[in-house]
Amino acid sequence: MGPLQACDQEIIGEIVSFMEVAPENWINVGGQRKKFLNYFTDHFPFVCHGLSLSIGGPSPLDRTFIHKLRQFMDNYNILAYSEHLSYCTDDGHLYDLMPIPFTEEAVSYVAGRIGQVQDMLGRRMAIENVSYYAAPGAELSEIDFINAVITEADCDLLLDVNNIYVNSVNHRYDPVEFLRALPGERIAYGHIAGHYDEAEDLIIDTHGADIIGSVWNLLDKAYELFGVFPTLLERDFNLPPVAELLSEVKKIKTIQGRWNPGSQSDEEQNQERTDDQRRSA
Ligand SMILES: [Fe+2]
């Protein structure tokens, strides 16, 4: 028997289509942790979401890490690698995701480094639109910066709808307009998460709360605009019971089913109809 009980495995297997790991936390593991990794990667498709690449950072790329990452992805049949469009190093690790200045110079610098990583990995990578709380030295808008990096680097996009919502409140823009301007054809997969309301005009991207209605609506809009893409629920702390987490994953599937009706079970379609009737009553 693996780390999951048979009944848990059945329930989770029905609801969870794929899982994500931070490669930094798993590349060098052995013993029991390695057994868990083997078990889960044998039973679920996996993607890697990096924390330490520092694609916009001033220090040279960590070639040793990228080499190990390539081996890790090959060994565990990892489907995609994503990283944040930010930086987290100076001379050492800063343990936070810092905002890259939105400038033409930074576009060329970052795109060049993404190209190097893609070459070293022998595969494309996806860059995530990040939440940020200051835009030092900005000469471009956030959307122009993201689009320029993706085009110049010829890489994919990890679309985080919660980050769009958080930034739209903190930096006062229309989240749907922002969404529309993204290159939908480049989306490798998506993220959705909860956040913390610090003040009326300040939201912190915590991944520590349930997802709010406006963020669910943005995911729905993204599927409407770009078609359905695989979407991961991010939850880093304040963890509720697994059943509650799975109900949010189910909700992702329900919204996906709305734009891809063939994928919905009869039970889900009936539930959807009941919900619609309730809403219109
Ligand atoms: Fe994310």
Side-chain angles (χ1 to χ4, degrees), residues 128 160 191 234:
E128 180 181 22
D160 188 315
H191 275 171
E234 294 189 288

Side-chain angles (χ1 to χ4, degrees), residues 72-186:
F72 181 81
M73 293 185 74
D74 289 344
N75 291 346
Y76 290 98
N77 202 18
I78 306 286
L79 299 173
Y81 170 58
S82 62
E83 250 289 359
H84 306 86
L85 185 52
S86 64
Y87 69 100
C88 59
T89 56
D90 188 351
D91 285 337
H93 277 271
L94 302 169
Y95 301 105
D96 213 340
L97 301 172
M98 309 295 288
I100 301 171
F102 300 150
T103 66
E104 293 286 358
E105 190 186 355
V107 168
S108 301
Y109 178 72
V110 172
R113 280 163 67 98
I114 294 172
Q116 286 178 51
V117 176
Q118 293 189 138
D119 287 347
M120 282 187 265
L121 288 177
R123 43 172 68 81
R124 296 170 72 79
M125 66 177 290
I127 284 294
E128 180 181 22
N129 59 296
V130 293
S131 49
Y132 61 100
Y133 305 94
E139 294 165 5
L140 304 171
S141 65
E142 180 194 354
I143 188 69
D144 286 348
F145 179 73
I146 293 173
N147 284 338
V149 168
I150 290 174
T151 303
E152 197 168 320
D154 190 17
C155 66
D156 293 328
L157 170 67
L158 161 53
L159 174 61
D160 188 315
V161 287
N162 180 57
N163 289 349
I164 294 178
Y165 180 78
V166 166
N167 292 341
S168 76
V169 172
N170 293 343
H171 304 289
R172 326 266 189 280
Y173 60 68
D174 178 350
V176 174
E177 219 172 273
F178 188 95
L179 189 63
R180 262 182 221 288
L182 285 168
E185 71 286 357
R186 301 273 189 150

